[in-house]
């Protein structure tokens, strides 16, 4: 009986480990992205102390908006009723609008902390990282 | 001059209103989507820990009790957890700093078997629930306050449990990412008996890179992240505690006490490997040399009846020579948390929480939540991780 209990516990642990693998890998990509931005920006200690909490908060919100929208696309467009399609369309608009507003709101905050030059550099670094990701995906497909 | 000044004031006012309205609008639109962001920075963490030391023969042939007990070894297992109860984040919009307060619930159940070959085996249990409060000022300082009450009991034979309490107060100051000092006080049983120590900590090097951490009286660690998945540490630290021991075997032969106190400590020096299997699971393995293996027996109750005697007058005390030890642990992390990449103070918050381990056993889960960033070359090579990329995340 004791052995059965141990086997059940061990099985649960292995299943749990496997389940969380995908999330771990996403975090790895995120860590590389943050490191890349950090290297590009070359923040001073004082800037870094204030910048990262604000930037992390911004990213948490943007990710939540995108995830929410992504999860709403459950059905194929042909399977949607008119009402569902309208709701999805409205959510899409609202999500894009929220993203734009968050972008503006947090850009203002970040600008006060690191200045206009570094915020331009930040955008450039973000875009550069996206390009690298795209290139990696394209190279794989080729 | 006065007119120009008034125009300037009006412009500043309009500017503030404009900025403020943008923020309110941004937040309002976000709120209208009814999205839930994670509240806490801490995950709920469960730690399963096993610690063993082989038996050593008592060499003191003059001591009657040493001859009777014959040898001494340790088998210890524990289950501990911490979980965030309250997280309060406050953004100072004038100074642009983010302060946060964390209240965590902690718990520990430890089962210890001191293996004496000369008597029947005793299973000693220590269990407790504690609270810790951590305040991150958002600038350079972090406060840590913990109280950890616990009960110890010999569960092999019917015995009365003893209530004790460990506690710690620390102020941690991050001079820079690479240098941190800490000062405080701690009441702990890790050196065998109840002790009040000043707490003095120094760290050289970043928490997510190679660092030397001296945390008196708890540990000295030299940590080397080998990659995002593996951290090697070379360390020295005391481990010990104070437990209730049933006098069922009449070890305290001159009295009729039903229980007495058994204290132990050892100084462990060795290496430890922390493996981050994935975001929700870690494990660690540590091994090395355990020296100054000290063990004492005394009865506070009997000693209190003898005037002019200190409460911890031992009826048995031995210090055994060096031996080996093995420590293995599994760390499970649950829940979604807020992001704190590169947030130096939050890294320190996490490190403080793990430096002062749950249950005053001086074990610890390592720093499973501090992200170790993969080494990036000047030109990031993403080919090695292309299978992992989720386009929608960007």
């Amino acid at each position: 009986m004791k052995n059965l209990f141990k086997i059940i516990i061990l099985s649960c642990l292995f299943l749990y480990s496997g389940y969380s693998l995908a999330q771990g890998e996403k975090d790895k990509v995120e860590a590389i992205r943050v490191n890349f931005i950090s290297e590009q920006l070359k923040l001073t200690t004082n800037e870094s102390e204030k910048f990262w909490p604000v930037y992390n908060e911004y990213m948490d919100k943007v990710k939540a908006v995108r995830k929410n929208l992504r999860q709403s696309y459950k059905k194929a467009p042909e399977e949607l009723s008119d009402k569902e399609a309208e709701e999805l369309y409205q959510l899409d608009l609202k999500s894009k609008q929220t993203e734009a507003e968050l972008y503006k709101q947090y850009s203002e905050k970040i600008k006060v902390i690191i200045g206009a030059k570094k915020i331009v550099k930040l955008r450039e670094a973000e875009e550069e990282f996206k390009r690298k990701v795209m290139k990696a995906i394209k190279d794989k497909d080729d | 001059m006065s007119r120009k000044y008034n125009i300037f004031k009006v412009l500043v006012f309009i500017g503030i209103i404009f900025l403020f309205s943008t923020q309110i609008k941004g937040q309002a639109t976000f709120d209208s989507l009814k999205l839930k962001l994670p509240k806490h920075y801490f995950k709920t963490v469960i730690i399963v820990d096993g610690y063993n030391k082989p038996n050593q023969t008592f060499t003191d042939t003059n001591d009657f009790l040493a001859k009777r007990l014959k040898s001494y070894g340790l088998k210890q297992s524990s289950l501990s957890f911490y979980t965030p109860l309250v997280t309060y984040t406050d953004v100072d919009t004038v100074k642009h700093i983010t302060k946060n307060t964390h209240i965590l619930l902690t718990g520990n159940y430890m089962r210890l078997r001191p293996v004496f070959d000369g008597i029947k085996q005793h299973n000693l249990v220590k269990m407790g629930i504690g609270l810790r409060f951590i305040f991150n000022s958002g600038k350079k300082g972090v406060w840590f306050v913990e109280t950890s009450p616990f009960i110890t009991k010999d569960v092999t034979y019917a015995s009365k449990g003893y209530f004790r309490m460990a506690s710690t107060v620390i102020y941690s100051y991050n001079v820079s990412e690479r240098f941190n000092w800490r000062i405080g006080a701690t009441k702990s049983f890790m050196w065998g008996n109840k002790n009040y120590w000043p707490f003095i900590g120094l760290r050289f090097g970043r928490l997510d890179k190679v660092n030397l951490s001296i945390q008196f009286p708890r540990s000295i660690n030299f940590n080397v992240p080998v990659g995002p998945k593996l951290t090697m540490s070379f360390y020295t630290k005391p481990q010990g505690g104070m437990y209730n021991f049933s006098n069922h075997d009449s070890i305290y032969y001159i009295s009729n006490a039903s229980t007495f106190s058994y204290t132990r400590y050892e100084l462990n020096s060795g290496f430890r490997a922390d493996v981050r299997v994935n975001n929700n699971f870690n494990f660690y393995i540590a091994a090395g040399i355990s020296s100054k293996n000290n063990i004492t027996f005394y009865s506070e109750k009997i000693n209190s009846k003898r005037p002019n005697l200190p409460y911890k007058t031992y009826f048995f005390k031995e210090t055994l020579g060096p031996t080996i030890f093995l420590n293995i642990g599994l760390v499970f992390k649950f829940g979604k948390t807020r992001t704190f990449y590169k947030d130096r103070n939050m890294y320190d918050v996490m490190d403080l929480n793990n430096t002062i381990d749950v249950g005053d056993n001086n074990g610890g889960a390592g720093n499973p939540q501090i992200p170790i960033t993969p080494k990036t070359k000047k030109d990031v090579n993403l080919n090695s991780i292309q299978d992992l990329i989720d386009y929608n995340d960007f």
Side-chain angles (χ1 to χ4, degrees):
Chain A
M1 190 66 189
K2 260 188 177 179
N3 282 340
L4 182 69
F5 182 69
K6 279 179 191 170
I7 289 166
I8 291 170
I9 293 282
L10 280 174
S11 310
C12 290
L13 295 182
F14 277 111
L15 284 174
Y16 170 73
S17 308
Y19 171 75
S20 52
L21 258 175
Q23 185 57 42
E25 301 301 2
K26 272 186 187 177
D27 286 348
K28 194 168 150 188
V29 178
E30 183 65 7
I32 294 175
R33 196 180 72 86
V34 167
N35 219 31
F36 180 75
I37 290 170
S38 169
E39 279 178 7
Q40 300 295 308
L41 279 187
K42 293 185 177 68
L43 299 171
T44 64
T45 309
N46 191 35
E47 287 170 339
S48 180
E49 181 183 302
K50 293 171 181 172
F51 168 77
W52 286 107
V54 177
Y55 187 72
N56 285 329
E57 189 182 297
Y58 166 65
M59 285 312 295
D60 275 348
K61 287 186 177 174
V62 169
K63 271 191 252 172
V65 173
R66 288 182 189 173
K67 192 180 172 189
N68 178 54
L69 183 62
R70 195 166 66 233
Q71 286 177 344
S72 304
Y73 283 95
K74 284 173 192 164
K75 288 182 185 173
E78 306 82 53
E79 293 169 12
L80 291 171
S81 67
D82 286 350
K83 196 189 165 199
E84 283 172 333
E86 179 61 26
E87 277 173 5
L88 202 54
Y89 167 71
Q90 290 299 335
L91 180 68
D92 185 63
L93 280 185
K94 207 171 184 180
S95 298
K96 295 285 186 290
Q97 187 193 348
T98 308
E99 260 196 65
E101 276 162 12
L102 286 172
Y103 182 84
K104 188 175 180 187
Q105 178 194 343
Y106 280 88
S107 292
E108 292 292 344
K109 284 186 186 177
I110 291 169
K111 190 182 142 195
V112 177
I113 297 166
I114 62 172
K117 267 192 183 174
K118 279 189 179 170
I119 206 166
V120 173
K121 221 172 185 177
L122 168 69
R123 300 305 174 212
E124 204 178 77
E126 284 173 331
E127 290 305 313
E128 179 63 17
F129 190 80
K130 274 188 214 171
R131 272 198 294 275
K132 282 175 185 291
V133 174
M134 297 302 183
K135 190 175 178 298
I137 293 169
K138 191 173 171 284
D139 289 352
K140 192 199 169 195
D141 289 345
D142 291 344
Chain B
M1 181 71 188
S2 163
R3 198 175 161 191
K4 272 187 183 172
Y5 183 67
N6 283 338
I7 292 169
F8 177 72
K9 275 204 292 190
V10 169
L11 285 174
V12 167
F13 180 73
I14 291 169
I16 289 170
I17 293 289
F18 177 73
L19 185 64
F20 194 59
S21 64
T22 309
Q23 289 191 10
I24 290 173
K25 200 178 167 190
Q27 188 59 45
T29 325
F30 181 78
D31 290 344
S32 71
L33 285 169
K34 291 175 185 167
L35 299 177
K36 277 190 179 174
L37 284 181
K39 271 187 203 168
H40 307 296
Y41 288 85
F42 282 97
K43 288 192 169 206
T44 293
V45 173
I46 296 174
I47 307 145
V48 184
D49 182 278
Y51 170 69
N52 270 28
K53 277 196 322 174
N55 267 39
Q56 291 176 276
T57 309
F58 286 114
T59 48
D60 187 352
T61 49
N62 297 322
D63 191 294
F64 163 77
L65 208 46
K67 278 199 277 187
R68 189 178 161 204
L69 294 170
K70 289 182 184 169
S71 67
Y72 171 62
L74 273 182
K75 284 180 182 171
Q76 178 184 300
S77 55
S78 76
L79 179 71
S80 45
F81 76 90
Y82 61 79
T83 187
L85 290 181
V86 177
T87 303
Y88 177 69
T89 303
D90 177 30
V91 181
D92 185 331
T93 47
V94 180
K95 292 177 183 166
H96 304 286
I97 53 173
T98 308
K99 305 170 190 175
N100 42 52
T101 306
H102 316 262
I103 297 175
L104 290 97
L105 177 74
T106 64
N108 175 248
Y109 177 88
M110 194 182 91
R111 208 174 170 92
L112 173 77
R113 183 187 284 180
V115 185
F116 298 108
D117 276 342
I119 58 169
K120 281 184 182 173
Q121 301 310 321
H122 288 238
N123 286 312
L124 315 179
V125 161
K126 173 183 168 187
M127 52 191 158
I129 291 275
L131 272 181
R132 44 185 61 181
F133 167 90
I134 308 171
F135 173 66
N136 165 18
S137 70
K139 288 193 263 178
K140 290 177 188 291
V142 177
W143 282 95
F144 177 94
V145 181
E146 188 220 30
T147 178
S148 179
F150 60 88
I151 289 171
T152 63
K153 200 174 175 181
D154 186 336
V155 290
T156 311
Y157 303 102
S159 73
K160 200 179 149 193
Y162 255 62
F163 174 83
R164 293 188 176 93
M165 192 157 84
S167 47
T168 303
V169 178
I170 295 171
Y171 177 68
S172 178
Y173 189 84
N174 294 295
V175 178
S176 71
E177 270 185 326
R178 291 178 176 81
F179 180 58
N180 162 281
W181 58 257
R182 291 170 181 169
I183 194 155
T186 183
K187 179 191 172 192
S188 172
F189 294 84
M190 68 188 159
W191 286 93
N193 215 305
K194 172 177 64 186
N195 282 297
Y196 296 89
W197 294 92
F199 189 101
I200 298 163
L202 288 172
R203 174 173 47 79
F204 305 93
R206 282 166 50 171
L207 277 168
D208 57 347
K209 301 271 181 184
V210 176
N211 68 72
L212 172 69
S213 177
I214 301 162
Q215 307 295 324
F216 175 83
R218 289 197 168 260
S219 61
I220 300 173
N221 280 276
F222 181 64
N223 302 308
V224 184
V226 180
K229 294 262 180 198
L230 175 69
T231 301
M232 297 292 294
S233 306
F234 300 91
Y235 70 91
T236 182
K237 67 178 179 184
Q239 264 191 277
M242 186 175 180
Y243 315 88
N244 258 31
F245 203 98
S246 165
N247 198 25
H248 186 264
D249 320 84
S250 300
I251 290 174
Y252 196 5
Y253 52 93
I254 60 163
S255 96
N256 56 357
S258 62
T259 59
F260 55 84
S261 295
Y262 150 65
T263 76
R264 61 159 259 252
Y265 76 82
E266 54 266 4
L267 197 62
N268 290 348
S269 304
F271 77 94
R272 170 170 156 150
D274 280 90
V275 182
R276 297 167 188 234
V277 178
N278 57 47
N279 201 31
N280 295 336
F281 176 63
N282 289 17
F283 71 87
Y284 57 84
I285 180 160
I289 301 293
S290 181
S291 56
K292 300 194 182 303
N293 296 284
N294 181 278
I295 157 175
T296 70
F297 292 152
Y298 73 92
S299 171
E300 197 170 340
K301 198 175 165 188
I302 301 297
N303 289 344
S304 67
K305 290 175 187 166
R306 300 166 171 175
N308 306 324
L309 269 185
Y311 79 93
K312 52 180 183 183
T313 301
Y314 311 120
F315 65 85
F316 179 68
K317 182 181 178 182
E318 282 288 329
T319 303
L320 292 156
T323 183
I324 52 168
F325 73 88
L326 181 66
N327 183 203
I328 296 173
L330 307 174
V331 183
F332 302 94
K333 299 171 279 178
F334 301 90
K336 289 191 172 177
T337 58
R338 299 183 74 155
T339 311
F340 53 89
Y341 281 117
K342 304 277 176 187
D343 187 338
R344 180 194 62 195
N345 272 26
M346 278 312 301
Y347 283 16
D348 190 39
V349 165
M350 295 290 155
D351 184 56
L352 263 170
N353 186 53
N354 289 308
T355 301
I356 315 300
D357 77 312
V358 173
D360 193 40
N361 302 322
N362 212 19
N367 270 328
Q369 264 193 263
I370 294 179
I372 305 290
T373 38
K375 275 184 188 171
T376 48
K377 297 164 193 165
K378 272 190 178 175
D379 188 44
V380 182
N381 176 16
L382 286 163
N383 291 323
S384 58
I385 54 151
Q386 56 194 346
D387 293 334
L388 320 171
I389 296 162
D390 183 347
Y391 170 73
N392 291 309
D393 281 347
F394 300 99

